[in-house]
Amino acid sequence: MSDRVTVSVIKADVGSVAGHTCPHPNMMRACYEVLKNGVADGTINDFYVTRVGDDINLFMIHERGENNSGVHGLAWDAFMDATKLAKKMKLYAAGQDILTDAFSGNIKGAGPGTAEMEFVERGAEPLLFFMADKTEPSAYSLPLTRIFMDPFTTTGLVIDPRAHEGYIFEIHDVVNSKKVIMASPEEGYDILSLLGDTTRYAIKRVMSKNEKLGVGAVVSTDKLNLTAGKYVGKDDPVMIVRAQSGFPAVGEVLQPFMFPMLVPGWMRGSHYGALYPCSVADSDPSYFDGPPRMVSLGMQVSNGKFQGLEDPDSPPGEHRPIDYFAGSVWNNVRQKAVEMSIYMRGHGPFMPAILAPEEMEYTTRPAVLEKLTKRFEDIE
Ligand code: F6R
Ligand code: MG
Ligand code: MG
């Protein structure tokens, strides 16, 4: 076995029960069967199928590197089977994120979101998976800058010699499809100057300055709404983070989510709502199609496979990750997120409850302006 492994998270919303809420368990089982066959035929080593709100998330581990057509094809087949079931059951928005009829070797641009990282497995390799529903990739910018740049969040930046070196950021301009590589702490203020504009910039990747350690975090930044040429849904992004031993500790990675920050998305992808950290089971949107949910799951990477809380000899796919936000310590944040979301709703269809015009997933503005063209007069 090669000591380089690739973790791929590929996600899609291909239909759900009673609104944009929760995929049917049969859809999840269909994905499970496809990925199980992928282990049997040697495409992947191991996998886990889960969801956040209406999005199915496929966690896969293999030795084929990023953008591998076999691995992407497997995810495509899983989503196609789930879509067939969703259509048969007449579920809501069946096949929503499937934007092409035929798979052409890479799932990027075809609708589903991807986050992939290749690295050399360390002696012990703790991995955190983040899955968000009803928001977009920039939702990870504030937490990632706190985790990898802020010594008041990550004490490791001050007292762990490897973390003390700082980190490299790959920042994407998601509107123009451009990227820039920047270093922290040297360029910390410049990095924040870009990322503060959440309508345009998002972090794609964070790397250790220590080449042996390699990649530390990766986010799915596929701008689904732009890919489709029209808004078809916020991206509901995923993130993978490696923790400990030169990277921020698990607790340092989770800490920023104690702040229920306002993120774009929520109802009709057109509002600001407070980020609600929760378990998979609590991830069904329940208030104004939200509030935007964030789930965090933890597993080890062990000899090219996933290791959770299950028996180490259990079959591939049957994992039980740590569900970090399930615990009562997060109750207070959830409560605050609901209070803040109610406060934002108090503004109804006025800013800052709604997004800037170019960010709205739904709008009637052009049609209204068109209708009024002749009635607009100069002000004396
Ligand atoms: C947000 C989301 C939902 C829908 C809303 C309207 O990302 O998925 O808030 O936008 O439920 O959905 P449609 O237009 O399908 O009636
Ligand atoms: Mg949806
Ligand atoms: Mg969703």
Side-chain angles (χ1 to χ4, degrees):
M1 198 199 75
S2 124
D3 59 354
R4 289 192 79 77
V5 291
T6 303
V7 175
S8 301
V9 178
I10 305 188
K11 49 84 43 185
D13 172 357
V14 289
S16 49
V17 175
H20 295 272
T21 309
C22 179
H24 191 280
N26 285 352
M27 295 161 66
M28 311 273 289
R29 274 193 282 274
C31 292
Y32 177 94
E33 290 304 325
V34 170
L35 298 197
K36 200 170 85 177
N37 291 336
V39 173
D41 70 20
T43 307
I44 53 174
N45 297 350
D46 198 2
F47 68 95
Y48 182 62
V49 177
T50 184
R51 61 114 190 171
V52 58
D54 56 4
D55 298 290
I56 299 179
N57 282 253
L58 312 176
F59 300 174
M60 296 176 282
I61 184 161
H62 53 93
E63 288 148 40
R64 293 170 183 268
E66 296 175 25
N67 293 313
N68 178 268
S69 62
V71 174
H72 283 211
L74 204 58
W76 180 260
D77 291 346
F79 290 135
M80 290 310 274
D81 282 7
T83 296
K84 263 183 230 146
L85 285 172
K87 287 191 169 159
K88 201 166 132 209
M89 288 183 274
K90 271 191 78 180
L91 298 192
Y92 199 67
Q96 177 189 279
D97 287 354
I98 303 297
L99 304 180
T100 59
D101 295 332
F103 177 68
S104 60
N106 192 313
I107 212 158
K108 277 187 193 160
T114 61
E116 299 185 283
M117 52 159 67
E118 186 180 14
F119 54 86
V120 176
E121 188 181 311
R122 294 172 292 169
E125 189 63 65
L127 211 57
L128 287 90
F129 299 87
F130 289 86
M131 313 185 287
D133 186 35
K134 310 286 190 267
T135 187
E136 58 177 44
S138 69
Y140 293 114
S141 295
L142 186 154
L144 276 175
T145 49
R146 287 219 165 126
I147 295 163
F148 287 97
M149 286 171 60
D150 174 20
F152 286 81
T153 298
T154 297
T155 313
L157 295 170
V158 182
I159 63 177
D160 175 307
R162 280 184 292 180
H164 194 75
E165 297 297 311
Y167 293 92
I168 310 276
F169 288 73
E170 179 182 321
I171 294 171
H172 283 201
D173 171 343
V174 290
V175 175
N176 273 345
S177 288
K178 293 221 178 271
K179 64 178 183 184
V180 59
I181 309 288
M182 299 178 80
S184 168
E186 309 87 288
E187 299 181 285
Y189 296 160
D190 288 352
I191 291 173
L192 292 174
S193 169
L194 296 185
L195 292 174
D197 177 359
T198 53
T199 67
R200 186 171 193 129
Y201 300 99
I203 298 170
K204 176 65 191 176
R205 225 172 262 276
V206 183
M207 277 90 56
S208 171
K209 286 185 182 167
N210 179 326
E211 274 181 20
K212 254 179 90 184
L213 278 175
V215 61
V218 62
V219 176
S220 64
T221 47
D222 319 68
K223 194 99 172 152
L224 182 59
N225 36 34
L226 296 178
T227 307
K230 61 182 172 64
Y231 278 104
V232 294
K234 286 279 182 275
D235 311 64
D236 299 343
V238 288
M239 171 168 80
I240 315 170
V241 182
R242 294 168 75 202
Q244 309 282 153
S245 305
F247 290 117
V250 169
E252 290 167 335
V253 174
L254 295 172
Q255 190 189 181
F257 296 94
M258 268 285 162
F259 172 60
M261 61 176 177
L262 291 172
V263 294
W266 203 4
M267 172 60 77
R268 299 181 182 276
S270 304
H271 294 79
Y272 279 109
L275 197 66
Y276 180 100
C278 65
S279 64
V280 172
D282 188 20
S283 71
D284 297 344
S286 49
Y287 166 47
F288 201 59
D289 284 358
R293 298 294 211 268
M294 183 65 75
V295 169
S296 175
L297 300 178
M299 287 195 279
Q300 293 285 128
V301 169
S302 304
N303 303 313
K305 296 185 176 172
F306 294 133
Q307 179 64 57
L309 296 167
E310 80 288 5
D311 188 296
D313 297 323
S314 63
E318 291 184 14
H319 295 294
R320 188 157 75 83
I322 309 269
D323 194 341
Y324 286 110
F325 296 146
S328 60
V329 76
W330 298 93
N331 287 349
N332 182 33
V333 197
R334 284 191 273 269
Q335 190 56 42
K336 264 199 227 156
V338 172
E339 281 165 19
M340 289 173 57
S341 296
I342 292 171
Y343 174 82
M344 292 303 284
R345 287 305 313 126
H347 300 84
F350 285 82
M351 287 171 130
I354 61 162
L355 308 185
E358 61 280 9
E359 288 294 300
M360 301 276 286
E361 197 174 307
Y362 289 62
T363 183
T364 52
R365 177 87 59 88
V368 169
L369 284 174
E370 169 78 30
K371 208 166 54 182
L372 296 177
T373 319
K374 292 205 172 106
R375 288 168 55 192
F376 265 106
E377 299 172 35
D378 290 338
I379 301 168
E380 300 305 314

